[in-house]
Short mmCIF file of all heavy atoms in Angstrom, two decimals:
data_model
loop_
_atom_site.label_atom_id
_atom_site.label_comp_id
_atom_site.label_asym_id
_atom_site.label_seq_id
_atom_site.Cartn_x
_atom_site.Cartn_y
_atom_site.Cartn_z
N LEU A 22 -95.94 -43.78 159.77
CA LEU A 22 -96.74 -44.19 160.93
C LEU A 22 -95.89 -45.02 161.89
O LEU A 22 -95.97 -44.84 163.11
CB LEU A 22 -97.96 -44.99 160.48
CG LEU A 22 -98.86 -45.52 161.58
CD1 LEU A 22 -99.39 -44.40 162.45
CD2 LEU A 22 -100.00 -46.34 160.98
N GLY A 23 -95.07 -45.89 161.35
CA GLY A 23 -94.17 -46.68 162.22
C GLY A 23 -93.22 -45.79 162.98
O GLY A 23 -92.99 -45.97 164.18
N VAL A 24 -92.67 -44.79 162.31
CA VAL A 24 -91.76 -43.84 162.96
C VAL A 24 -92.49 -43.07 164.06
O VAL A 24 -92.00 -42.95 165.19
CB VAL A 24 -91.13 -42.88 161.93
CG1 VAL A 24 -90.35 -41.78 162.61
CG2 VAL A 24 -90.26 -43.64 160.94
N VAL A 25 -93.67 -42.55 163.72
CA VAL A 25 -94.45 -41.77 164.69
C VAL A 25 -94.83 -42.63 165.89
O VAL A 25 -94.78 -42.18 167.04
CB VAL A 25 -95.69 -41.14 164.01
CG1 VAL A 25 -96.68 -40.61 165.04
CG2 VAL A 25 -95.26 -40.05 163.05
N GLU A 26 -95.21 -43.89 165.65
CA GLU A 26 -95.56 -44.78 166.77
C GLU A 26 -94.39 -44.99 167.71
O GLU A 26 -94.55 -44.96 168.93
CB GLU A 26 -96.04 -46.13 166.23
CG GLU A 26 -97.44 -46.10 165.68
CD GLU A 26 -97.90 -47.46 165.18
OE1 GLU A 26 -97.06 -48.29 164.77
OE2 GLU A 26 -99.12 -47.69 165.19
N VAL A 27 -93.20 -45.19 167.16
CA VAL A 27 -92.01 -45.38 168.01
C VAL A 27 -91.70 -44.10 168.79
O VAL A 27 -91.41 -44.15 169.99
CB VAL A 27 -90.80 -45.84 167.18
CG1 VAL A 27 -89.52 -45.80 168.00
CG2 VAL A 27 -91.02 -47.25 166.63
N LEU A 28 -91.78 -42.96 168.11
CA LEU A 28 -91.55 -41.69 168.81
C LEU A 28 -92.55 -41.51 169.94
O LEU A 28 -92.19 -41.07 171.04
CB LEU A 28 -91.64 -40.50 167.83
CG LEU A 28 -90.52 -40.38 166.82
CD1 LEU A 28 -90.85 -39.29 165.80
CD2 LEU A 28 -89.19 -40.11 167.49
N HIS A 29 -93.81 -41.85 169.69
CA HIS A 29 -94.85 -41.74 170.71
C HIS A 29 -94.59 -42.71 171.87
O HIS A 29 -94.67 -42.32 173.04
CB HIS A 29 -96.22 -42.00 170.10
CG HIS A 29 -97.32 -41.97 171.11
ND1 HIS A 29 -97.74 -40.80 171.72
CD2 HIS A 29 -98.08 -42.96 171.63
CE1 HIS A 29 -98.70 -41.09 172.57
NE2 HIS A 29 -98.93 -42.39 172.54
N MET A 30 -94.26 -43.95 171.56
CA MET A 30 -94.01 -44.95 172.62
C MET A 30 -92.84 -44.54 173.51
O MET A 30 -92.83 -44.85 174.70
CB MET A 30 -93.74 -46.33 172.01
CG MET A 30 -94.98 -46.97 171.42
SD MET A 30 -94.76 -48.68 170.83
CE MET A 30 -93.24 -48.63 169.92
N ARG A 31 -91.88 -43.85 172.95
CA ARG A 31 -90.70 -43.42 173.73
C ARG A 31 -90.87 -42.04 174.35
O ARG A 31 -89.94 -41.50 174.94
CB ARG A 31 -89.47 -43.47 172.85
CG ARG A 31 -89.17 -44.89 172.43
CD ARG A 31 -87.90 -45.02 171.69
NE ARG A 31 -87.70 -46.43 171.35
CZ ARG A 31 -86.66 -46.88 170.72
NH1 ARG A 31 -85.70 -46.06 170.35
NH2 ARG A 31 -86.54 -48.16 170.44
N GLY A 32 -92.06 -41.45 174.20
CA GLY A 32 -92.34 -40.14 174.79
C GLY A 32 -91.68 -38.98 174.07
O GLY A 32 -91.54 -37.90 174.63
N LEU A 33 -91.27 -39.20 172.82
CA LEU A 33 -90.56 -38.17 172.08
C LEU A 33 -91.45 -37.38 171.13
O LEU A 33 -91.10 -36.25 170.76
CB LEU A 33 -89.40 -38.80 171.29
CG LEU A 33 -88.36 -39.52 172.14
CD1 LEU A 33 -87.36 -40.25 171.24
CD2 LEU A 33 -87.66 -38.53 173.06
N PHE A 34 -92.58 -37.92 170.74
CA PHE A 34 -93.43 -37.24 169.76
C PHE A 34 -93.90 -35.89 170.28
O PHE A 34 -94.00 -34.92 169.53
CB PHE A 34 -94.62 -38.12 169.36
CG PHE A 34 -95.41 -37.53 168.22
CD1 PHE A 34 -94.93 -37.60 166.92
CD2 PHE A 34 -96.61 -36.89 168.45
CE1 PHE A 34 -95.64 -37.04 165.86
CE2 PHE A 34 -97.33 -36.34 167.41
CZ PHE A 34 -96.84 -36.41 166.11
N ARG A 35 -94.15 -35.79 171.55
CA ARG A 35 -94.65 -34.54 172.12
C ARG A 35 -93.60 -33.43 172.12
O ARG A 35 -93.92 -32.27 172.34
CB ARG A 35 -95.18 -34.76 173.54
CG ARG A 35 -94.12 -35.15 174.53
CD ARG A 35 -94.74 -35.64 175.83
NE ARG A 35 -93.77 -35.58 176.89
CZ ARG A 35 -93.90 -34.86 177.98
NH1 ARG A 35 -94.99 -34.15 178.17
NH2 ARG A 35 -92.97 -34.84 178.89
N LEU A 36 -92.35 -33.79 171.85
CA LEU A 36 -91.28 -32.80 171.81
C LEU A 36 -91.14 -32.13 170.44
O LEU A 36 -90.35 -31.20 170.29
CB LEU A 36 -89.94 -33.46 172.18
CG LEU A 36 -89.89 -34.14 173.54
CD1 LEU A 36 -88.53 -34.78 173.76
CD2 LEU A 36 -90.21 -33.16 174.66
N ILE A 37 -91.92 -32.57 169.46
CA ILE A 37 -91.82 -32.02 168.11
C ILE A 37 -92.54 -30.67 168.04
O ILE A 37 -93.71 -30.56 168.40
CB ILE A 37 -92.40 -33.02 167.09
CG1 ILE A 37 -91.55 -34.28 167.08
CG2 ILE A 37 -92.46 -32.39 165.69
CD1 ILE A 37 -92.13 -35.42 166.28
N ASP A 38 -91.79 -29.65 167.58
CA ASP A 38 -92.33 -28.31 167.45
C ASP A 38 -92.87 -28.02 166.06
O ASP A 38 -93.79 -27.21 165.90
CB ASP A 38 -91.24 -27.28 167.78
CG ASP A 38 -90.71 -27.43 169.19
OD1 ASP A 38 -91.53 -27.44 170.13
OD2 ASP A 38 -89.49 -27.57 169.35
N TYR A 39 -92.27 -28.63 165.05
CA TYR A 39 -92.65 -28.38 163.65
C TYR A 39 -92.91 -29.69 162.94
O TYR A 39 -92.22 -30.67 163.17
CB TYR A 39 -91.51 -27.67 162.89
CG TYR A 39 -91.22 -26.28 163.40
CD1 TYR A 39 -90.20 -26.07 164.33
CD2 TYR A 39 -91.95 -25.20 162.95
CE1 TYR A 39 -89.92 -24.80 164.79
CE2 TYR A 39 -91.67 -23.92 163.40
CZ TYR A 39 -90.65 -23.73 164.32
OH TYR A 39 -90.38 -22.47 164.78
N LEU A 40 -93.92 -29.69 162.07
CA LEU A 40 -94.24 -30.86 161.27
C LEU A 40 -94.33 -30.43 159.82
O LEU A 40 -95.07 -29.50 159.48
CB LEU A 40 -95.56 -31.47 161.72
CG LEU A 40 -96.04 -32.71 160.97
CD1 LEU A 40 -95.06 -33.86 161.16
CD2 LEU A 40 -97.43 -33.11 161.47
N SER A 41 -93.55 -31.06 158.95
CA SER A 41 -93.56 -30.76 157.53
C SER A 41 -93.92 -32.03 156.78
O SER A 41 -93.39 -33.10 157.05
CB SER A 41 -92.16 -30.29 157.10
OG SER A 41 -92.12 -30.07 155.71
N THR A 42 -94.87 -31.90 155.84
CA THR A 42 -95.31 -33.08 155.09
C THR A 42 -95.36 -32.79 153.60
O THR A 42 -95.50 -31.65 153.18
CB THR A 42 -96.72 -33.52 155.53
OG1 THR A 42 -97.66 -32.52 155.15
CG2 THR A 42 -96.79 -33.78 157.02
N VAL A 43 -95.22 -33.84 152.83
CA VAL A 43 -95.36 -33.78 151.38
C VAL A 43 -96.12 -35.02 150.93
O VAL A 43 -95.86 -36.12 151.40
CB VAL A 43 -93.97 -33.78 150.68
CG1 VAL A 43 -94.10 -33.78 149.18
CG2 VAL A 43 -93.15 -32.59 151.13
N SER A 44 -97.08 -34.84 150.07
CA SER A 44 -97.81 -35.92 149.42
C SER A 44 -98.31 -36.96 150.41
O SER A 44 -99.10 -36.65 151.27
CB SER A 44 -96.92 -36.53 148.33
OG SER A 44 -97.65 -37.45 147.54
N GLY A 45 -97.83 -38.19 150.30
CA GLY A 45 -98.30 -39.28 151.17
C GLY A 45 -98.06 -39.01 152.64
O GLY A 45 -98.84 -39.43 153.50
#
């Protein structure tokens, strides 16, 4: 969440094309 918040604040989160998740 901290990483995603920083990416969002810097306008970078919207540039992500793929999201991969495991467990938590």
